[in-house]
Amino acid sequence: MSLYLRPESLNDALAALGRQPLTVLAGGTDFYPARVGRPVDESLLDISALAPLRGISETSDHWRLGAATTWTDVIEAPLPPLFQALRQAAREVGGVQIQNAGTLGGNVCNASPAADGVPALLALDARVELASRSGTRALPLADFITGPRRTARAADELLTAVLVPRHGLAARSRFAKLGARRYLVISIAMAAACLEWDTTGRVVSARVAVGACAPVARRLPALEAALAGRALGPALGEAVSEAHLAPLSPIDDVRADAAYRLDAAGTLLRRLLSTLGAEAAFP
């Protein structure tokens, strides 16, 4: 017999996960569309009443984004320019109604190759926090998503937060997406980048990620290395070469073929980095 549980404390939620397999439900914006036309026959753990899982806070070394934080919360929060990519991605997650209900943790745990939030979070060097009755652990987001619709979350664990580290330098990020239309569309390709720079206006570190062009969103380490030491400015996009796209493995599907996706990813990155370089140099 299937169950529907809506605990009001994290301890109760973790106890329930420890007793039996449960499908975790937050905003439901992916869960319900995937089950149109058939009854829900699995047992559910609705975490929407767990107030501590929603909201954004900061400490001396990181920002903590609760797993139940909605995309509207991200858009409206007074976050620094470091989070610009995530806010831009948040505005691409469906319409306003979806943004009001959909959660950051749900987007990550759904593990779609085209999840809008994931490239931005990878560019922010994010980690995920997982809790169970036996304790809490954190791991890099890149290690958490292991494949399409697959994650490293154990059956008795709940994703409780996304953690974004502070690096101590001036930083800014940006997100770009290509779809068949401007809004309310699944990505053909998308990219996010985060730059940190020193007082001379040169890039100290760069983190660049591409989504919808591989089984999981991918960082591009060779491009990141090529950007280090370059001067900020609109010429930054010229650093991108075809060789930098080697970690990508796009597929042919109804939205685009693999060759188009690869070419689009390169174009997005050049435009993205040119704009980001100019924004950082002339804020």
Side-chain angles (χ1 to χ4, degrees), residues 154-201:
D156 66 340
E157 288 183 317
L158 184 66
L159 191 148
T160 49
V162 176
L163 309 175
V164 175
R166 293 177 180 271
H167 292 282
L169 295 169
R172 182 180 288 267
S173 67
R174 194 169 181 86
F175 172 84
K177 172 178 174 176
L178 174 67
R181 57 181 185 267
R182 182 64 184 88
Y183 290 108
L184 303 175
V185 66
I186 298 173
S187 299
I188 291 171
M190 55 184 164
C194 180
L195 301 178
E196 296 177 325
W197 61 91
D198 61 20
T199 55
T200 70

Side-chain angles (χ1 to χ4, degrees), residues 46-72:
D46 182 345
I47 63 170
S48 60
L50 301 182
L53 295 192
R54 183 172 180 178
I56 300 171
S57 59
E58 54 183 297
T59 69
S60 59
D61 60 358
H62 69 266
W63 282 272
R64 178 185 177 87
L65 292 80
T69 300
T70 68
W71 294 111
T72 297

Side-chain angles (χ1 to χ4, degrees), residues 1-2 91 98 129 132 144 180-181 191 194 212 224 229 232 247-248 266:
M1 180 179 69
S2 60
R91 292 187 176 96
I98 297 297
E129 179 186 86
S132 69
F144 177 69
R181 57 181 185 267
C194 180
E224 294 172 353
L232 295 173
L248 306 181

Side-chain angles (χ1 to χ4, degrees), residues 97-282:
Q97 296 93 333
I98 297 297
Q99 293 164 13
N100 287 342
T103 65
L104 195 66
N107 193 252
V108 170
C109 288
N110 194 46
S112 166
D116 289 320
V118 173
L121 290 170
L122 287 173
L124 292 175
D125 203 21
R127 295 175 295 144
V128 297
E129 179 186 86
L130 298 160
S132 69
R133 296 189 74 185
S134 60
T136 301
R137 64 180 178 128
L139 70 162
L141 176 60
D143 296 335
F144 177 69
I145 301 176
T146 58
R149 312 292 182 182
R150 299 199 309 272
T151 73
R153 183 181 74 88
D156 66 340
E157 288 183 317
L158 184 66
L159 191 148
T160 49
V162 176
L163 309 175
V164 175
R166 293 177 180 271
H167 292 282
L169 295 169
R172 182 180 288 267
S173 67
R174 194 169 181 86
F175 172 84
K177 172 178 174 176
L178 174 67
R181 57 181 185 267
R182 182 64 184 88
Y183 290 108
L184 303 175
V185 66
I186 298 173
S187 299
I188 291 171
M190 55 184 164
C194 180
L195 301 178
E196 296 177 325
W197 61 91
D198 61 20
T199 55
T200 70
R202 292 195 173 272
V203 176
V204 173
S205 68
R207 294 180 294 277
V208 183
V210 172
C213 289
V216 298
R218 297 284 190 194
R219 289 267 299 266
L220 302 181
L223 176 56
E224 294 172 353
L227 290 168
R230 288 181 175 258
L232 295 173
L236 210 56
E238 298 172 7
V240 180
S241 72
E242 289 187 14
H244 295 145
L245 307 181
L248 306 181
S249 54
I251 61 170
D252 299 328
D253 66 11
V254 295
R255 289 184 290 279
D257 62 33
Y260 180 80
R261 273 197 163 92
L262 198 61
D263 183 70
T267 299
L268 281 177
L269 286 167
R270 292 182 187 94
R271 293 176 180 173
L272 176 72
L273 288 167
S274 292
T275 303
L276 182 55
E279 287 179 343
F282 310 106

